[in-house]
Each structure stands twice: as C-alpha cells, then as structure tokens.
Amino acid sequence: MHTAGHRALAMSWRPQYRSSKFRNVYGKVASREHCFDGIPITKNVHDNHFCAVNARFLAIVTESAGGGSFLVIPLEQTGRIEPNYPKVCGHQGNVLDIKWNPFIENIIASCSEDTSVRIWEIPEGGLKRNMTEAVLELYGHSRRVGLVEWHPTTNNILFSAGYDYKVLIWNLDIGEPVKMIDCHTDVILCMSFNTDGSLLATSCKDKKLRVVEPRSGRVLQEASCKNHRVNRVVFLGSTKRLLTTGVSRWNTRQIALWDQEDLSMPLIEEEIDGLSGLLFPFYDADTHMLYLAGKGDGNIRYYEIGSEKPYLSYLMEFRSPAPQKGLGVMPKHGLDVSACEVFRFYKLVTLKGLIEPISMIVPRRSETYQEDIYPMTPGTEPALTPDEWLSGVNRDPILMSLKEGYKRTSKIVFKAPVREKKSVVVNGIDLLENVPPRTENELLRMFFRQQDEIRRLKDELSQKDIRIRQLQLELKNLRNSPKNN
C-alpha cells in the first residue's frame, strides 16, 4: 500500500521534472594542469569574491605586505605561477573588490581600504612588470570602499559602495562622481542590477533590502528583513523578481524570492541547510538557472527558476571537499559552446593557493551547436553612452549569438580624462572635506596620503630650487657678458 502511494507521488512529480533540459547538468573540474597554482590568495575576511574573470584574463586579490595588490593572469597561462609574478600594486590599503569592465576587456576597476577606486589598463599580453600607475584614481569616499560594480548596459559608468554608507556613481568619461545614493544607514553588503540597469537592488547591514532608482537615488521598495537577515541579493534578469540569500531567525541558511514591485513579503522562503558560511547566489538568465555556492564549504547547489509556483525546482548539487573562499564567473561569451558549457566558476581554494575552473555542462550527444541552451545573450557592446544614461535613457543590452565567430573583440578603447586635483562636489556636498578618521586604519591611510602629498610637494620644491639656481646662473652670465660692459 505504502509503495503504491509512493509511486503515485513520484508520478505526479515526474512530468514537471522530465521537462527540464537542465536536470542533468553536472560540474566538471578542470584537470590540475588547467588550474592556476601557487597563488597567495588574500587572507582578508571581507565577504567578497576577490576574483574577477573575463574571456582574456583572470584577476585575483593577493596577500601582500604594504598595501593591496592583485594578480592579472592571461587565461591560457595555466599551471604554476611564479612567486615574483608581476602584480597590480598601486593601492595603499587592502584591495576589497575587483571587477572587469564588461565592454573593454583590458580595463579593470578596483577599490580598497585606502578610500580610493582605481581604474587600470592591462597591457595586451598581461603584465611584464609590477603596475603601480592607474589610468584613473577616484577619490570621493571618506571611508574604505568595499564594492565596485559596472553598469550593465552603459559604457564607463561605475558604481562604488563605501563604509561611509554611500554609493557613488562615477562617469569615467570625465573621471568624476556624478551622483550619490545616500539612503543606507549602514554598510552596503551587495549591489545588483536588473537587465537594463534601470534598477539597483542593495542589501545592507541595517537589515533592509532596497530597490533603488539609481539616477535619482529614490528608494522605490524597501523590506525590513527581521526574520530573514539578508546578505546577498541578485536580480533574476528581467523577470521582475529578486532572490536573496540570508540567515533565518534559527541561524540556518535560507533563500527568499521577492517581487521587485512589492517587497512587503517574500513570495517564498526556503531553508537550505544549517551551515554558517555566506551563500553566494549566481543567476544565469539564459538558462533560468540559479547557483548557490557556500563560502567556506565546497558545495554548489543549482536550481531552475520558473514563473509559476513553486518557482524553484532543485536540480543537483556539485560537491567537493575543498572549501571555496570566493568564486569568479566567466562571462557567457567566454564559454566553450562546443562542450555544451553553460556556466563556469573559478574557485578560490585558499589553503592550496589554487584557482580551480569548474565547468557546468549540459550532457548532449550531438556535436553541433545547441541553439536551445544558447539563446542570444548580452554581448560586449554597450547600448548607451554615460551621457545618454545619465539623462534618463534606459536601453536593453545589445545581444550577441554565441554561434559563430563570437570571439569578436570590442573596438572600444578606454580614454582617460585629464583632470586637475580639486574638490569633489556631488549633490552640493564636498566629499573630500576633512572627515575625521574614526579608526586606526583610517588614520594610517590619511598618514600615507599626507606622506605622498609631502613627498610630491618636496619634489616640487626641489624642482623649483633647481630652476631658481638655473635662472640665477643665467642672470649672472648675462650680467657678465662683454656686451653689457
């Protein structure tokens, strides 16, 4: 009797279960020689990925004495990385986040405990020597900067979130912050855009989930997450839904699904497990798959998200004994479509100094291009200029097919604006007015910055001294020349 009932239950599930093309997706770890080894991954406990990847380079924040640095390694340069491998090392404090420009493959943004955001231009084949000069140094935050995020459809618009509880929007065409989002009352934990970048969702230490109109800074929706303490938030593409990961009142890990237009109650909440590390969510709008990776464990669970209840169907779990500190994700146009690869993680294994690529693969017998698992996807061309976006225009991403010749390189080149050092005024507030340091770290940073300034002024003075001596000599020579007698 029991079995018959059991079978009936199984039957009722089967139709929905069978229909998924992704129910057999599996994770495949790269062989050892295709990993990146010998990397001193940062020991910083900040909850970021410390890793950014695109179709050409892998960037990893490293442990380093005297300031923050990160490595940039060409993707084909797998295997062991030499200890003296050149670094990007201009920051005076730990680097807390790095992100590649989605439209210009050799431009990367970093932010740091030294309160600055910097833009770096990586040379064609990677670094040959240490890089200390950024193409842009952006000062506007009064505390350390924890997050940077590029706008998904507009070229040269960058968002940064600081421990001063502010989000600044930088227009890199002019190298200045042009807007400030000032609605948070504590540290911002996470920022996520919807598909066209017209909405920004944030999670914050003040236990609130917000949906913000980025240009005006207006909060459109806000949820107080008393029972579900939100850590991370991700927009589910253009479905008008959000997914958050967080902690329940019983300290178990959970996820919640929300309607972006009504955050009064989550649509569903689901317990995941009783482990304690943060859950990083990743969403793939092309396959409607959601990946949940636990920080400090080796699991990546994945689900398919539907538009009807129950919304979430569990597919499978990729397991590995080695805990992950963070994960980089390859953009779609960098995937291997001939292997039916639909997602690729770069897993940071701190204890081994190892970066391990993990490919998520749809098992298919056919060798031909699988149209159904590779719809048109946001490509490497921006849909808008900074001025268009700032004036209020929204536009969907420009899509590309991954079918043939999709490795087209973008024709956009980064041009750094020329700027003089001056005050930074946004919303009528000078962001660089003397903010008193609150912590020892900030004191140190101010000290370093002042040391730099003193060094610069001393250089300037000694240059002027030399010039004065030259002029005095020239004068003397003029006076002593025979025609003046």
mmCIF file of all heavy atoms in Angstrom, residues 115-137:
data_model
loop_
_atom_site.group_PDB
_atom_site.id
_atom_site.type_symbol
_atom_site.label_atom_id
_atom_site.label_comp_id
_atom_site.label_asym_id
_atom_site.label_seq_id
_atom_site.Cartn_x
_atom_site.Cartn_y
_atom_site.Cartn_z
ATOM 1 N N THR A 115 40.435 54.125 0.651
ATOM 2 C CA THR A 115 39.320 55.023 0.262
ATOM 3 C C THR A 115 39.240 55.321 -1.232
ATOM 4 O O THR A 115 38.358 56.058 -1.650
ATOM 5 C CB THR A 115 39.315 56.383 1.022
ATOM 6 O OG1 THR A 115 40.330 57.236 0.482
ATOM 7 C CG2 THR A 115 39.513 56.221 2.509
ATOM 8 N N SER A 116 40.141 54.757 -2.032
ATOM 9 C CA SER A 116 40.102 55.096 -3.458
ATOM 10 C C SER A 116 39.499 53.973 -4.290
ATOM 11 O O SER A 116 39.469 52.806 -3.888
ATOM 12 C CB SER A 116 41.508 55.402 -3.976
ATOM 13 O OG SER A 116 42.258 54.212 -4.116
ATOM 14 N N VAL A 117 39.022 54.372 -5.471
ATOM 15 C CA VAL A 117 38.638 53.436 -6.526
ATOM 16 C C VAL A 117 39.631 53.706 -7.645
ATOM 17 O O VAL A 117 39.936 54.863 -7.933
ATOM 18 C CB VAL A 117 37.201 53.722 -7.008
ATOM 19 C CG1 VAL A 117 36.846 52.851 -8.200
ATOM 20 C CG2 VAL A 117 36.199 53.526 -5.876
ATOM 21 N N ARG A 118 40.171 52.658 -8.261
ATOM 22 C CA ARG A 118 41.154 52.884 -9.333
ATOM 23 C C ARG A 118 40.801 52.080 -10.574
ATOM 24 O O ARG A 118 40.238 50.998 -10.478
ATOM 25 C CB ARG A 118 42.567 52.518 -8.850
ATOM 26 C CG ARG A 118 42.962 53.398 -7.672
ATOM 27 C CD ARG A 118 44.395 53.256 -7.224
ATOM 28 N NE ARG A 118 44.558 54.027 -5.987
ATOM 29 C CZ ARG A 118 45.704 54.418 -5.468
ATOM 30 N NH1 ARG A 118 46.837 54.110 -6.080
ATOM 31 N NH2 ARG A 118 45.749 55.114 -4.355
ATOM 32 N N ILE A 119 41.149 52.663 -11.696
ATOM 33 C CA ILE A 119 40.902 52.025 -12.987
ATOM 34 C C ILE A 119 42.267 51.717 -13.602
ATOM 35 O O ILE A 119 43.126 52.601 -13.685
ATOM 36 C CB ILE A 119 40.117 52.963 -13.936
ATOM 37 C CG1 ILE A 119 38.868 53.529 -13.244
ATOM 38 C CG2 ILE A 119 39.771 52.250 -15.232
ATOM 39 C CD1 ILE A 119 37.810 52.520 -12.879
ATOM 40 N N TRP A 120 42.450 50.471 -14.005
ATOM 41 C CA TRP A 120 43.740 50.006 -14.522
ATOM 42 C C TRP A 120 43.579 49.526 -15.948
ATOM 43 O O TRP A 120 42.584 48.908 -16.293
ATOM 44 C CB TRP A 120 44.260 48.845 -13.668
ATOM 45 C CG TRP A 120 44.268 49.115 -12.210
ATOM 46 C CD1 TRP A 120 43.224 48.933 -11.340
ATOM 47 C CD2 TRP A 120 45.350 49.636 -11.434
ATOM 48 N NE1 TRP A 120 43.611 49.299 -10.066
ATOM 49 C CE2 TRP A 120 44.901 49.735 -10.092
ATOM 50 C CE3 TRP A 120 46.660 50.020 -11.743
ATOM 51 C CZ2 TRP A 120 45.715 50.204 -9.058
ATOM 52 C CZ3 TRP A 120 47.475 50.485 -10.716
ATOM 53 C CH2 TRP A 120 47.006 50.569 -9.388
ATOM 54 N N GLU A 121 44.611 49.799 -16.743
ATOM 55 C CA GLU A 121 44.624 49.330 -18.132
ATOM 56 C C GLU A 121 45.695 48.264 -18.258
ATOM 57 O O GLU A 121 46.887 48.549 -18.095
ATOM 58 C CB GLU A 121 44.923 50.514 -19.057
ATOM 59 C CG GLU A 121 44.829 50.165 -20.510
ATOM 60 C CD GLU A 121 44.824 51.410 -21.406
ATOM 61 O OE1 GLU A 121 45.087 52.524 -20.901
ATOM 62 O OE2 GLU A 121 44.574 51.241 -22.604
ATOM 63 N N ILE A 122 45.267 47.041 -18.505
ATOM 64 C CA ILE A 122 46.198 45.905 -18.552
ATOM 65 C C ILE A 122 46.744 45.782 -19.983
ATOM 66 O O ILE A 122 45.971 45.750 -20.936
ATOM 67 C CB ILE A 122 45.479 44.592 -18.153
ATOM 68 C CG1 ILE A 122 44.795 44.751 -16.779
ATOM 69 C CG2 ILE A 122 46.443 43.411 -18.156
ATOM 70 C CD1 ILE A 122 45.702 45.115 -15.622
ATOM 71 N N PRO A 123 48.088 45.728 -20.141
ATOM 72 C CA PRO A 123 48.648 45.638 -21.497
ATOM 73 C C PRO A 123 48.275 44.324 -22.195
ATOM 74 O O PRO A 123 47.923 43.344 -21.534
ATOM 75 C CB PRO A 123 50.157 45.740 -21.271
ATOM 76 C CG PRO A 123 50.389 45.536 -19.819
ATOM 77 C CD PRO A 123 49.115 45.825 -19.099
ATOM 78 N N GLU A 124 48.355 44.354 -23.500
ATOM 79 C CA GLU A 124 47.916 43.266 -24.378
ATOM 80 C C GLU A 124 48.172 41.853 -23.836
ATOM 81 O O GLU A 124 47.247 41.107 -23.631
ATOM 82 C CB GLU A 124 48.592 43.439 -25.755
ATOM 83 C CG GLU A 124 48.023 42.588 -26.859
ATOM 84 C CD GLU A 124 46.502 42.745 -27.052
ATOM 85 O OE1 GLU A 124 45.978 43.873 -26.937
ATOM 86 O OE2 GLU A 124 45.848 41.716 -27.315
ATOM 87 N N GLY A 125 49.410 41.465 -23.584
ATOM 88 C CA GLY A 125 49.660 40.070 -23.188
ATOM 89 C C GLY A 125 49.733 39.869 -21.683
ATOM 90 O O GLY A 125 50.288 38.882 -21.219
ATOM 91 N N GLY A 126 49.211 40.807 -20.902
ATOM 92 C CA GLY A 126 49.341 40.713 -19.445
ATOM 93 C C GLY A 126 50.502 41.563 -18.966
ATOM 94 O O GLY A 126 51.156 42.248 -19.756
ATOM 95 N N LEU A 127 50.797 41.509 -17.678
ATOM 96 C CA LEU A 127 51.836 42.371 -17.097
ATOM 97 C C LEU A 127 53.223 41.772 -17.295
ATOM 98 O O LEU A 127 53.413 40.572 -17.129
ATOM 99 C CB LEU A 127 51.603 42.553 -15.601
ATOM 100 C CG LEU A 127 50.273 43.172 -15.161
ATOM 101 C CD1 LEU A 127 50.264 43.355 -13.652
ATOM 102 C CD2 LEU A 127 50.046 44.512 -15.825
ATOM 103 N N LYS A 128 54.176 42.638 -17.623
ATOM 104 C CA LYS A 128 55.576 42.194 -17.707
ATOM 105 C C LYS A 128 56.338 42.651 -16.466
ATOM 106 O O LYS A 128 57.382 42.135 -16.123
ATOM 107 C CB LYS A 128 56.249 42.790 -18.960
ATOM 108 C CG LYS A 128 55.582 42.356 -20.264
ATOM 109 C CD LYS A 128 55.899 40.907 -20.612
ATOM 110 C CE LYS A 128 55.127 40.424 -21.818
ATOM 111 N NZ LYS A 128 53.790 39.900 -21.501
ATOM 112 N N ARG A 129 55.800 43.691 -15.805
ATOM 113 C CA ARG A 129 56.408 44.166 -14.555
ATOM 114 C C ARG A 129 55.298 44.690 -13.668
ATOM 115 O O ARG A 129 54.168 44.841 -14.124
ATOM 116 C CB ARG A 129 57.421 45.276 -14.855
ATOM 117 C CG ARG A 129 56.843 46.508 -15.543
ATOM 118 C CD ARG A 129 57.942 47.475 -15.952
ATOM 119 N NE ARG A 129 58.725 46.936 -17.067
ATOM 120 C CZ ARG A 129 58.365 47.027 -18.338
ATOM 121 N NH1 ARG A 129 57.225 47.627 -18.686
ATOM 122 N NH2 ARG A 129 59.114 46.527 -19.290
ATOM 123 N N ASN A 130 55.616 44.962 -12.402
ATOM 124 C CA ASN A 130 54.607 45.484 -11.491
ATOM 125 C C ASN A 130 53.980 46.753 -12.039
ATOM 126 O O ASN A 130 54.679 47.592 -12.611
ATOM 127 C CB ASN A 130 55.229 45.802 -10.120
ATOM 128 C CG ASN A 130 55.392 44.545 -9.285
ATOM 129 O OD1 ASN A 130 54.965 43.459 -9.697
ATOM 130 N ND2 ASN A 130 55.993 44.679 -8.119
ATOM 131 N N MET A 131 52.680 46.895 -11.849
ATOM 132 C CA MET A 131 51.995 48.100 -12.309
ATOM 133 C C MET A 131 51.573 48.901 -11.084
ATOM 134 O O MET A 131 50.861 48.389 -10.227
ATOM 135 C CB MET A 131 50.768 47.691 -13.142
ATOM 136 C CG MET A 131 49.955 48.870 -13.642
ATOM 137 S SD MET A 131 48.536 48.357 -14.659
ATOM 138 C CE MET A 131 49.273 48.381 -16.280
ATOM 139 N N THR A 132 52.060 50.147 -11.002
ATOM 140 C CA THR A 132 51.697 50.971 -9.845
ATOM 141 C C THR A 132 50.850 52.168 -10.261
ATOM 142 O O THR A 132 50.199 52.786 -9.426
ATOM 143 C CB THR A 132 52.951 51.497 -9.120
ATOM 144 O OG1 THR A 132 53.769 52.160 -10.085
ATOM 145 C CG2 THR A 132 53.748 50.361 -8.496
ATOM 146 N N GLU A 133 50.849 52.491 -11.559
ATOM 147 C CA GLU A 133 50.124 53.665 -12.039
ATOM 148 C C GLU A 133 48.771 53.275 -12.617
ATOM 149 O O GLU A 133 48.712 52.584 -13.633
ATOM 150 C CB GLU A 133 50.942 54.363 -13.140
ATOM 151 C CG GLU A 133 52.198 55.058 -12.634
ATOM 152 C CD GLU A 133 51.888 56.225 -11.691
ATOM 153 O OE1 GLU A 133 51.117 57.112 -12.094
ATOM 154 O OE2 GLU A 133 52.398 56.215 -10.559
ATOM 155 N N ALA A 134 47.715 53.741 -11.983
ATOM 156 C CA ALA A 134 46.376 53.504 -12.522
ATOM 157 C C ALA A 134 46.087 54.549 -13.596
ATOM 158 O O ALA A 134 46.670 55.632 -13.561
ATOM 159 C CB ALA A 134 45.351 53.610 -11.404
ATOM 160 N N VAL A 135 45.185 54.238 -14.546
ATOM 161 C CA VAL A 135 44.824 55.279 -15.515
ATOM 162 C C VAL A 135 43.925 56.320 -14.859
ATOM 163 O O VAL A 135 43.877 57.463 -15.281
ATOM 164 C CB VAL A 135 44.141 54.743 -16.802
ATOM 165 C CG1 VAL A 135 45.169 54.188 -17.754
ATOM 166 C CG2 VAL A 135 43.090 53.708 -16.506
ATOM 167 N N LEU A 136 43.205 55.922 -13.808
ATOM 168 C CA LEU A 136 42.382 56.872 -13.056
ATOM 169 C C LEU A 136 42.413 56.512 -11.576
ATOM 170 O O LEU A 136 42.270 55.339 -11.232
ATOM 171 C CB LEU A 136 40.927 56.815 -13.528
ATOM 172 C CG LEU A 136 40.468 57.686 -14.696
ATOM 173 C CD1 LEU A 136 39.012 57.407 -14.973
ATOM 174 C CD2 LEU A 136 40.673 59.168 -14.404
ATOM 175 N N GLU A 137 42.583 57.530 -10.734
ATOM 176 C CA GLU A 137 42.426 57.344 -9.287
ATOM 177 C C GLU A 137 41.232 58.163 -8.874
ATOM 178 O O GLU A 137 41.194 59.369 -9.110
ATOM 179 C CB GLU A 137 43.664 57.855 -8.544
ATOM 180 C CG GLU A 137 44.818 56.896 -8.573
ATOM 181 C CD GLU A 137 46.021 57.448 -7.798
ATOM 182 O OE1 GLU A 137 45.814 58.126 -6.762
ATOM 183 O OE2 GLU A 137 47.144 57.203 -8.254
#
